[in-house]
């Protein structure tokens, strides 16, 4: 076995590999760019080597720098992670020539599978069912039309060298091919320096199902079952699970057998993934093979108990696989959510920046299952523009699919991030949708379910009950001195657009709210003023809500639902009713203080050009820091506040020209 491994990657996957190496007693080296000098991976590795400026082309993609770092540290092998040099056959060859072990497949296998046209030909020869289409290069638009019409519309025009969802376009008719063929050709040339194009049948409303394979250098290949990755945005995976709710035992076996046959035919000798598109009728067709560890590998590890990184290291060191196909069994169900730095409420706009707060859920066994969070960041770290905007991968395991979904829903409640936009509410919405739970997935899922974009989910009755109780409990805590007895009077709680007359009928640690025929029991409350997370048990179920003060009342988010909640006495509710509705001034060119508070910082100056999403100011209210961002692009005309100022709700902080 190796005594020292160099990891030619960064972020969560570098940390993931270090964890397994530590367990195996192997020393680790990471390389890092200027942007990653203080990263978690650098902190955790035994040694680290600086390799250049932030852009990957000047650091992580430079084979020379990696080889130099290996020489400097005396590492015996290189794990490339995913992305970067992981599927680069000439890098694998270069390492071999230098006497360094590449922890991945042999270069011939990388080459054979790295190209979509070649791999499709190869797969067809190995008896794998491929998407009907033309397996060969297409010369020009006229040729493309001829091929498309032979296959029959709709078709998919694809770059042979494509990857990461780029260089792909659907054509529904002749006109689409006339426009699409030159467009994909140009994109392929620009992105991959290779403009070979092919055309295949577009499978409508398909599902993405892939098989994890594992081979050694002694001719053994097994598969570790499937993952379904149909929840995609722009052909990029967002939620993955294992096993797939689509497959039955027969299809699983057929798919697994084909994947193993293909792996054997290319002499595959590491961990890899054979991707298929599947119809709702369980027909399936080979798409491509990824000759590396896959982003979503944790779900396979959770249902099989196999550490794929450990297996990659062992087979690279020449060990034969210690288990055969018959030793592998599926146990339970696993889900993975990719937590991205993007704002789901604004068309999933990238939202990079500093993780002002980063508090993931506790990992390990819980009452319902297992929680695992693969991350490479800590509170205070920055998600930079140079690399993938993934913050972490949250995975859960349960005995059944429902249990895994429940565990994911709970884990997402407990994941708290501030400082940048993130897709946690969106992921929570998917977990709470009936269609997702029913397993009727397709790669159109997000488009079908959120045709107008994402705006949160409407509250259920149970969520209104929960938020009513939470707001009353917060009100009691915050006004304890002024109104010591919550029990003595009636309350009007405005929860979203609903107004409820309620009474608190018990308040001795446990807390009962009654009114309008509903009764809500809130127990084990864990919240103090200033805390953004409110934990408790409602109707016997543990929950976590995100809370923050508003100009009046509170903003409460539970999973995918956010509501404004007001706690009023009947008297103040009556007065409230009489207030003239606030006239909507044109505030489109102003940044207003959303609540009364203390200005911590104003982060712009007059004359400055500001882009949507940039931080304009930071405001502290009830001991919480609130980041105020520009809602649109513009130039700052005036700044009306400075750090240290106390401001009222709706006070103008910054004006745009
Ligand atoms: P996968 O097929 O493993 O699910 P994707 O298709 O989502 O990965 O990613 C497309 C490409 O981007 C892959 O080549 C993958 O290796 C790379 N990639 C994805 N996420 C990261 C990351 N966090 N760091 C580096 N590379 C990544
Ligand atoms: P990449 O190398 O970018 O991962 P893939 O060939 O794996 O490219 O395709 C990415 C995604 O595009 C798939 O997961 C699937 O959702 C969709 N896709 C690809 N080919 C087809 C097809 N022939 N029919 C329908 N969807 C497809
Ligand atoms: Mg793919």
């Amino acid at each position: 076995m190796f005594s020292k491994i160099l990891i030619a990657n960064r972020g969560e996957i570098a940390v993931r590999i270090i964890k397994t190496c530590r367990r195996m007693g192997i020393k680790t080296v990471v390389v890092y760019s200027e942007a990653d000098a203080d990263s978690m991976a650098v902190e955790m590795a035994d040694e680290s080597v600086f390799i250049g400026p932030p852009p990957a082309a000047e650091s992580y993609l430079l084979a020379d720098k990696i080889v130099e770092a290996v020489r400097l540290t005396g590492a015996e092998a290189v794990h490339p992670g995913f992305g970067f040099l992981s599927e680069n056959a000439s890098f694998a060859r270069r390492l071999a020539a230098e006497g360094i072990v590449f922890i991945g497949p042999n270069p011939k296998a990388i080459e054979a599978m790295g190209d979509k046209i070649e791999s499709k030909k190869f797969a067809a020869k190995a008896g794998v069912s491929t998407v009907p289409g033309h397996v060969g290069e297409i010369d020009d638009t006229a040729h493309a039309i001829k091929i498309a019409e032979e296959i029959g519309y709709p078709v998919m025009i694809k770059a042979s060298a494509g990857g990461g969802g780029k260089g792909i376009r659907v054509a529904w008719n002749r006109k689409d091919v006339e426009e699409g063929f030159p467009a994909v050709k140009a994109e392929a040339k620009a992105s991959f320096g290779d403009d070979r194009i092919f055309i295949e049948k577009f499978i409508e409303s398909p599902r993405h199902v892939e098989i994890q394979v594992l081979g050694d250098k002694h001719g053994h290949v097994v598969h570790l079952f499937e993952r379904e990755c149909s929840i995609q945005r722009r052909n990029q995976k967002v939620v993955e699970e294992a096993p797939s709710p689509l497959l039955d035992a027969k299809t699983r076996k057929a798919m697994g057998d084909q994947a193993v046959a293909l792996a054997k035919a290319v002499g595959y000798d590491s961990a890899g993934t054979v991707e298929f598109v599947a119809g709702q009728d369980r027909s399936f067709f080979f798409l491509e093979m990824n000759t590396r560890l896959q982003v979503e590998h944790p779900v396979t590890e959770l249902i099989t108990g196999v550490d794929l990184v450990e297996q990659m290291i062992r087979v690279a060191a020449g060990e034969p696989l210690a288990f055969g196909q018959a030793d592998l069994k599926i146990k339970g169900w696993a889900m993975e959510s990719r937590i991205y730095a993007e704002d789901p409420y604004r068309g999933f706009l990238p939202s990079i920046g500093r993780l002002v707060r980063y508090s993931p859920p506790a990992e390990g066994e819980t009452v319902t299952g297992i929680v695992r969070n693969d991350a490479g960041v800590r509170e205070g770290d920055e998600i930079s523009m140079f690399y993938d905007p993934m913050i972490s991968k949250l995975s859960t395991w349960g005995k059944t699919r429902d249990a895994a979904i429940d565990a994911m829903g709970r884990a997402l409640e407990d994941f708290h991030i501030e400082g940048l936009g993130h897709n946690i509410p969106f992921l929570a919405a998917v977990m709470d949708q009936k269609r997702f739970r029913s397993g009727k997935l397709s790669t159109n899922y997000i488009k079908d379910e959120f045709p107008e974009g994402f705006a949160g989910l409407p509250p259920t009755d149970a969520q209104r009950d929960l938020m009513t109780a939470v707001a009353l409990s917060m009100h009691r805590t915050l006004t304890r001195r002024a109104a010591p007895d919550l029990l003595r009077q009636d309350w009007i709680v405005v929860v979203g657009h609903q107004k409820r007359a309620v009474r608190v009928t018990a308040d001795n640690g446990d807390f009962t709210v009654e009114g309008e025929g509903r009764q809500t029991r809130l127990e084990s409350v864990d919240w103090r003023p200033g805390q953004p997370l409110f934990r408790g048990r409602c109707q016997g179920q543990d929950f976590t809500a995100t809370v923050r003060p508003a100009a009046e009342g509170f903003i409460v988010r539970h999973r995918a639902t956010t509501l404004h909640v007001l706690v009023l006495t009947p008297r103040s509710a009556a007065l409230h009713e009489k207030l003239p509705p606030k006239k909507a001034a044109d505030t489109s060119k102003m940044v207003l203080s959303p609540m009364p508070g203390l200005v911590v910082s104003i982060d712009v100056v007059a004359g400055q050009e500001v882009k949507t999403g940039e931080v304009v100011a930071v405001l502290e209210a009830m001991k919480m820091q609130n980041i105020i961002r520009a809602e649109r692009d513009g130039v700052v005309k005036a700044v009306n506040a400075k750090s240290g100022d106390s401001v009222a709700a709706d006070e103008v902080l910054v004006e745009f020209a």
Side-chain angles (χ1 to χ4, degrees), residues 10 33-36 51-62 84 384-387:
R10 60 176 301 283
S33 77
E34 229 167 275
D36 291 328
I51 50 165
E58 296 167 42
S59 49
Y60 295 104
L61 285 170
L62 294 179
F84 300 141
S384 83
M385 57 182 281
F386 296 106
Y387 314 108

Short mmCIF file of all heavy atoms in Angstrom, two decimals, residues 10 33-36 51-62 84 384-387:
data_model
loop_
_atom_site.label_atom_id
_atom_site.label_comp_id
_atom_site.label_asym_id
_atom_site.label_seq_id
_atom_site.Cartn_x
_atom_site.Cartn_y
_atom_site.Cartn_z
N ARG A 10 -9.27 20.12 -5.21
CA ARG A 10 -9.52 21.11 -4.17
C ARG A 10 -10.90 20.85 -3.54
O ARG A 10 -11.60 19.94 -3.96
CB ARG A 10 -9.49 22.51 -4.77
CG ARG A 10 -10.57 22.69 -5.87
CD ARG A 10 -10.63 24.09 -6.40
NE ARG A 10 -10.92 25.04 -5.35
CZ ARG A 10 -12.12 25.24 -4.81
NH1 ARG A 10 -13.17 24.56 -5.24
NH2 ARG A 10 -12.30 26.11 -3.84
N SER A 33 -4.11 26.50 -5.12
CA SER A 33 -3.90 27.77 -5.81
C SER A 33 -3.97 28.89 -4.78
O SER A 33 -4.36 28.67 -3.64
CB SER A 33 -4.98 27.97 -6.87
OG SER A 33 -6.19 28.37 -6.23
N GLU A 34 -3.63 30.08 -5.23
CA GLU A 34 -3.68 31.26 -4.38
C GLU A 34 -5.03 31.42 -3.68
O GLU A 34 -5.09 31.84 -2.53
CB GLU A 34 -3.45 32.48 -5.27
CG GLU A 34 -2.42 33.45 -4.80
CD GLU A 34 -2.10 34.41 -5.93
OE1 GLU A 34 -1.25 34.06 -6.77
OE2 GLU A 34 -2.74 35.48 -6.00
N ALA A 35 -6.13 31.07 -4.40
CA ALA A 35 -7.47 31.25 -3.85
C ALA A 35 -7.74 30.28 -2.70
O ALA A 35 -8.65 30.48 -1.91
CB ALA A 35 -8.52 31.07 -4.94
N ASP A 36 -6.97 29.19 -2.64
CA ASP A 36 -7.26 28.12 -1.68
C ASP A 36 -6.22 28.01 -0.58
O ASP A 36 -6.16 27.01 0.14
CB ASP A 36 -7.35 26.77 -2.42
CG ASP A 36 -8.58 26.70 -3.31
OD1 ASP A 36 -9.60 27.31 -2.94
OD2 ASP A 36 -8.51 26.04 -4.37
N ILE A 51 0.68 25.89 -6.08
CA ILE A 51 0.95 25.64 -7.50
C ILE A 51 0.56 26.78 -8.44
O ILE A 51 0.66 26.63 -9.66
CB ILE A 51 0.26 24.34 -8.02
CG1 ILE A 51 -1.21 24.32 -7.63
CG2 ILE A 51 1.00 23.10 -7.54
CD1 ILE A 51 -2.01 23.29 -8.40
N GLY A 52 0.11 27.93 -7.93
CA GLY A 52 -0.12 29.04 -8.86
C GLY A 52 -1.36 29.86 -8.60
O GLY A 52 -2.04 29.68 -7.60
N PRO A 53 -1.65 30.77 -9.52
CA PRO A 53 -2.79 31.69 -9.36
C PRO A 53 -4.14 30.97 -9.43
O PRO A 53 -4.21 29.82 -9.86
CB PRO A 53 -2.65 32.66 -10.53
CG PRO A 53 -1.47 32.25 -11.32
CD PRO A 53 -0.89 31.02 -10.74
N PRO A 54 -5.23 31.67 -9.05
CA PRO A 54 -6.55 31.03 -8.96
C PRO A 54 -7.08 30.35 -10.23
O PRO A 54 -7.62 29.25 -10.12
CB PRO A 54 -7.47 32.18 -8.53
CG PRO A 54 -6.57 33.14 -7.83
CD PRO A 54 -5.25 33.05 -8.52
N PRO A 55 -6.95 30.95 -11.44
CA PRO A 55 -7.57 30.26 -12.59
C PRO A 55 -7.02 28.84 -12.76
O PRO A 55 -5.80 28.63 -12.69
CB PRO A 55 -7.18 31.13 -13.78
CG PRO A 55 -6.89 32.48 -13.20
CD PRO A 55 -6.30 32.21 -11.85
N ALA A 56 -7.93 27.87 -12.96
CA ALA A 56 -7.52 26.46 -13.04
C ALA A 56 -6.47 26.22 -14.11
O ALA A 56 -5.56 25.41 -13.94
CB ALA A 56 -8.75 25.58 -13.28
N ALA A 57 -6.59 26.97 -15.23
CA ALA A 57 -5.65 26.79 -16.34
C ALA A 57 -4.22 27.16 -15.92
O ALA A 57 -3.25 26.75 -16.57
CB ALA A 57 -6.08 27.62 -17.54
N GLU A 58 -4.09 27.94 -14.84
CA GLU A 58 -2.76 28.34 -14.38
C GLU A 58 -2.34 27.60 -13.11
O GLU A 58 -1.32 27.92 -12.51
CB GLU A 58 -2.74 29.86 -14.12
CG GLU A 58 -2.97 30.68 -15.38
CD GLU A 58 -3.26 32.15 -15.07
OE1 GLU A 58 -2.57 32.71 -14.20
OE2 GLU A 58 -4.18 32.71 -15.69
N SER A 59 -3.16 26.64 -12.67
CA SER A 59 -2.82 25.90 -11.45
C SER A 59 -3.26 24.44 -11.54
O SER A 59 -2.47 23.59 -11.95
CB SER A 59 -3.41 26.58 -10.21
OG SER A 59 -4.79 26.87 -10.40
N TYR A 60 -4.53 24.16 -11.21
CA TYR A 60 -4.98 22.78 -11.09
C TYR A 60 -4.93 21.98 -12.39
O TYR A 60 -4.96 20.77 -12.38
CB TYR A 60 -6.40 22.72 -10.50
CG TYR A 60 -6.46 23.25 -9.08
CD1 TYR A 60 -6.99 24.50 -8.81
CD2 TYR A 60 -5.96 22.49 -8.03
CE1 TYR A 60 -7.03 24.99 -7.51
CE2 TYR A 60 -6.00 22.97 -6.72
CZ TYR A 60 -6.54 24.22 -6.46
OH TYR A 60 -6.56 24.70 -5.19
N LEU A 61 -4.86 22.66 -13.53
CA LEU A 61 -4.83 21.94 -14.80
C LEU A 61 -3.41 21.75 -15.34
O LEU A 61 -3.22 21.17 -16.41
CB LEU A 61 -5.69 22.67 -15.85
CG LEU A 61 -7.21 22.53 -15.65
CD1 LEU A 61 -7.98 23.47 -16.57
CD2 LEU A 61 -7.64 21.08 -15.90
N LEU A 62 -2.40 22.22 -14.61
CA LEU A 62 -1.02 22.12 -15.10
C LEU A 62 -0.33 20.84 -14.63
O LEU A 62 0.10 20.73 -13.48
CB LEU A 62 -0.21 23.34 -14.64
CG LEU A 62 -0.64 24.70 -15.23
CD1 LEU A 62 0.22 25.81 -14.65
CD2 LEU A 62 -0.56 24.68 -16.75
N PHE A 84 -11.09 18.85 -13.49
CA PHE A 84 -9.65 19.08 -13.68
C PHE A 84 -8.99 18.00 -14.54
O PHE A 84 -9.41 17.78 -15.67
CB PHE A 84 -8.95 19.27 -12.33
CG PHE A 84 -9.48 20.44 -11.54
CD1 PHE A 84 -9.64 20.37 -10.15
CD2 PHE A 84 -9.85 21.62 -12.17
CE1 PHE A 84 -10.13 21.45 -9.41
CE2 PHE A 84 -10.34 22.71 -11.44
CZ PHE A 84 -10.47 22.61 -10.08
N SER A 384 -15.72 31.18 -4.33
CA SER A 384 -15.15 32.13 -5.29
C SER A 384 -15.66 31.87 -6.69
O SER A 384 -16.24 30.84 -6.99
CB SER A 384 -13.62 32.07 -5.26
OG SER A 384 -13.19 31.01 -6.08
N MET A 385 -15.43 32.84 -7.55
CA MET A 385 -15.89 32.75 -8.94
C MET A 385 -15.02 31.81 -9.77
O MET A 385 -15.35 31.50 -10.90
CB MET A 385 -15.85 34.15 -9.55
CG MET A 385 -14.45 34.75 -9.47
SD MET A 385 -14.32 36.42 -10.12
CE MET A 385 -14.25 36.05 -11.86
N PHE A 386 -13.91 31.36 -9.22
CA PHE A 386 -12.96 30.60 -10.05
C PHE A 386 -13.34 29.14 -10.24
O PHE A 386 -12.91 28.50 -11.18
CB PHE A 386 -11.56 30.68 -9.45
CG PHE A 386 -11.00 32.07 -9.46
CD1 PHE A 386 -10.91 32.80 -8.29
CD2 PHE A 386 -10.60 32.65 -10.66
CE1 PHE A 386 -10.41 34.09 -8.30
CE2 PHE A 386 -10.11 33.93 -10.68
CZ PHE A 386 -10.01 34.66 -9.51
N TYR A 387 -14.12 28.59 -9.31
CA TYR A 387 -14.39 27.15 -9.37
C TYR A 387 -15.89 26.88 -9.28
O TYR A 387 -16.69 27.80 -9.21
CB TYR A 387 -13.64 26.44 -8.23
CG TYR A 387 -12.21 26.89 -8.10
CD1 TYR A 387 -11.80 27.69 -7.04
CD2 TYR A 387 -11.27 26.55 -9.08
CE1 TYR A 387 -10.48 28.13 -6.94
CE2 TYR A 387 -9.96 26.98 -9.00
CZ TYR A 387 -9.57 27.79 -7.92
OH TYR A 387 -8.29 28.22 -7.83
#
